[in-house]
Amino acid sequence: MSDNIKGKVVIITGASSGIGEATAKLLASKGAKIVLGARRTDKLETIANEIKAAGGEAIYQELDVTVPAENEAIVKLAKDTYGKLDVIFLNAGLMPSSPISALKTNEWEQMVDVNVKGVLNGVAAVMPTFAEQKSGYVIATSSVAGLKAYPGGAVYCGTKWFVRSFMEVLRMESAMEGTNIRTATIYPAAINTELLNTISDKGSSEAFQALYDQYGISADRIAAVVEFAVSLPEDTTVNEFTVGPANQPW
């Protein structure tokens, strides 16, 4: 069904590494036009150049998902460059896990800003376009932490539960309003990305590193799920994907 991907314009947030980078390269190889957004423009430039060298199409722009105007700007860039927008993959996220008693309140705020407000800002930026054209696809990275709670994950789990709930209501309301906006929420387990680098709490960091060392699988596995979602016919949505290593009991 990769014919459904060819020519589609796709914005990817958190595109400078990990799941975002892997997805950008895979969708570009299937003929999608990729709009890369993240804070590290040097990384985005390298990825865009690699995509173009392989015969694909990609542009990039600095994007801090916590700033509404920057989300609006990357939507404008996509439309100005390619004339339309089909998909936004809301993939930016932070996971500085720690016990509540450690009171890492700055990290709590960061997670809410990126993991919650970043999703809200992205949806707000694309909604006028998607509603007007009566089509569009919102894909978001939640986490298995959005399906179950665990010690050390109080705030992170909370942000990912929010994504789960918000995306489900977006799906329902879009169906009711007849805007044909589809949603897909992805719940990855141990996927090898830079996510662990955001953990400052020593105990949490060591525990997660051991977990990922034992079970972690490639970000390409999530990219393949996004590819599948985007390839589906317009009248079909698979709105939730729980994905992880086959040998991880999580």
Side-chain angles (χ1 to χ4, degrees), residues 174-242:
S174 299
M176 293 164 65
E177 293 167 6
T179 49
N180 305 315
I181 298 170
R182 294 182 292 158
T183 68
T185 308
I186 304 173
Y187 306 96
I191 309 296
N192 292 324
T193 70
E194 294 184 359
L195 205 58
L196 299 193
N197 299 352
T198 65
I199 304 176
S200 68
D201 182 76
K202 189 169 184 291
S204 295
S205 178
E206 290 173 353
F208 270 105
Q209 194 60 61
L211 180 79
Y212 278 62
D213 285 347
Q214 182 175 359
Y215 297 117
I217 56 175
S218 165
D220 294 332
R221 307 295 188 266
I222 304 299
V225 172
V226 179
E227 178 199 7
F228 172 76
V230 177
S231 75
L232 290 168
E234 293 289 328
D235 65 357
T236 305
T237 180
V238 181
N239 59 305
E240 294 191 303
F241 297 90
T242 305

Side-chain angles (χ1 to χ4, degrees), residues 16 38-49 60:
S16 58
R39 289 175 299 176
R40 296 178 295 180
T41 51
D42 55 329
K43 299 255 188 185
L44 297 182
E45 182 180 21
T46 300
I47 295 164
N49 287 339
Y60 67 91

Side-chain angles (χ1 to χ4, degrees), residues 27-94:
L27 294 183
S29 75
K30 304 295 181 181
K33 299 171 182 180
I34 308 299
V35 184
L36 305 159
R39 289 175 299 176
R40 296 178 295 180
T41 51
D42 55 329
K43 299 255 188 185
L44 297 182
E45 182 180 21
T46 300
I47 295 164
N49 287 339
E50 288 172 357
I51 287 172
K52 286 185 271 194
E57 291 190 64
I59 54 175
Y60 67 91
Q61 186 161 291
E62 184 175 357
L63 172 64
D64 180 342
V65 296
T66 68
V67 181
E70 292 193 18
N71 290 268
E72 291 160 12
I74 202 165
V75 170
K76 185 176 187 301
L77 174 70
K79 292 171 69 177
D80 287 351
T81 305
Y82 296 125
K84 63 170 185 165
L85 177 60
D86 300 293
V87 180
I88 188 164
F89 180 26
L90 303 167
N91 174 65
L94 298 173

Side-chain angles (χ1 to χ4, degrees), residues 147-166:
L147 300 172
K148 61 187 290 183
Y150 55 84
V155 178
Y156 181 70
C157 290
T159 64
K160 294 304 187 176
W161 277 81
F162 170 84
V163 172
R164 178 191 188 193
S165 174
F166 180 83

Side-chain angles (χ1 to χ4, degrees), residues 104-114 117 155:
K104 291 183 177 284
T105 54
N106 287 344
E107 293 181 357
W108 299 355
E109 297 285 346
Q110 283 180 324
M111 278 187 278
V112 170
D113 285 346
V114 174
K117 293 180 184 175
V155 178

